[in-house]
Amino acid sequence: MPPNRDAVPRKLSAVIFDVDGVLVDSPHEQAWREALTGFADPAGFTTAFYQVHVAGKPRLEGARAALERLGDAEAAAHAAAFAERKQAVIDRLIAEDRFVAFPDAIRLAVALRDTGLRIVLASSSKNADAMLARVILPDGRTLRSLFDADVSGRDVPRGKPDPALFLLAAKAVNVPPTRCLVVEDAPAGIRAAQAGGMASLGIARLGDEALLRAAGADLVVTSLDQLDVAALGSGSLRTRSVEAAHES
């Protein structure tokens, strides 16, 4: 998968990870869809709809956006109840372990740590920690323990595509925003990285490469194994050669 741009002309010192869709195949989309009954037709809440209008946004903003797009004339009034119902559904799904961590994301996090880059969690979701604490690595650590800092679920003035959460993540590891790379699966997250002056890597797990490119991603991949980790320190954001990818 060729990059949108050949390189990011800066030395990168930290990598900021979104969680849902990047580290974890989470049940958020399923929870939103189940919670819609009585508010709007769940059939309209497709994966494409979720990616464009809800993914990456804080819970209440996502609830209102979904209802507005699905034709609820009283979306503002109904958003809080919809968001509360969605939270109850996702709490149940997480307790039932209805999610998995992406192996390529775990490999990337480990590889980044080995190169000395700081790694930070920055999801709009307040459920991120609950999921990552339930993912146990082969050495007995939790997935959460790999990261140097976690600002997931923090209250910020505005959600993505505003860069506030990512700027908070950069501050948490004392790295200037211009030396951070954001890993995101949602267009709103890519735009937030861009607004914060950060480089961005789009992971297109749902065949949505075009959406991530249109949002301004510096590089789009379909597997995080494609990223050339060794090149990041010199500011080059690129994919590995096919031969190197096959050797890993």
Side-chain angles (χ1 to χ4, degrees):
M1 184 75 61
N4 289 1
R5 282 164 250 174
D6 290 336
V8 176
R10 66 188 85 171
K11 179 177 173 58
L12 296 171
S13 301
V15 180
I16 299 170
F17 283 78
D18 181 35
V19 175
D20 304 314
V22 174
L23 281 166
V24 174
D25 185 6
S26 76
H28 277 277
E29 180 185 338
Q30 179 182 346
W32 281 116
R33 188 178 295 110
E34 286 189 21
L36 261 176
T37 301
F39 292 102
D41 183 1
F45 197 94
T46 64
T47 294
F49 181 97
Y50 171 72
Q51 283 296 99
V52 173
H53 302 299
V54 181
K57 296 180 179 178
R59 187 185 307 152
L60 190 59
E61 288 183 29
R64 180 169 179 170
L67 293 178
E68 287 177 345
R69 292 285 180 171
L70 292 172
D72 185 347
E74 298 183 71
H78 295 160
F82 175 37
E84 183 177 352
R85 182 187 295 178
K86 179 263 180 180
Q87 184 59 35
V89 174
I90 199 165
D91 285 345
R92 171 177 57 81
L93 295 175
I94 290 173
E96 294 172 354
D97 288 328
R98 300 279 289 277
F99 64 93
V100 295
F102 291 112
D104 62 332
I106 295 175
R107 287 190 290 268
L108 177 59
V110 171
L112 291 170
R113 281 193 66 88
D114 288 346
T115 65
L117 290 168
R118 310 299 299 278
I119 53 176
V120 190
L121 294 165
S123 170
S124 298
S125 173
K126 296 183 182 297
N127 304 293
D129 283 350
M131 287 188 289
L132 298 184
R134 297 176 73 92
V135 178
I136 307 300
L137 303 176
D139 63 3
R141 292 181 296 169
T142 66
L143 180 54
R144 165 64 184 85
S145 70
L146 288 180
F147 292 82
D148 296 296
D150 182 4
V151 299
S152 296
R154 297 279 186 89
D155 291 325
V156 290
R158 292 167 298 279
K160 304 171 190 176
D162 187 274
L165 187 65
F166 290 153
L167 293 175
L168 193 62
K171 185 177 181 181
V173 288
N174 197 31
V175 173
T178 54
R179 294 179 62 176
C180 293
L181 170 68
V182 170
V183 186
E184 262 283 358
D185 73 313
I190 295 294
R191 291 194 293 271
Q194 190 174 48
M198 302 175 179
S200 58
L201 171 66
I203 172 65
R205 301 194 188 278
L206 302 171
D208 51 354
E209 295 96 328
L211 286 174
L212 295 170
R213 289 181 186 279
D218 293 291
L219 176 66
V220 177
V221 296
T222 54
S223 167
L224 293 175
D225 289 330
Q226 294 172 283
L227 181 65
D228 187 342
V229 173
L232 289 179
S234 60
S236 181
L237 183 58
R238 67 192 186 203
T239 55
R240 297 190 294 165
S241 66
V242 174
E243 293 78 9
H246 285 168
E247 290 172 2
S248 63

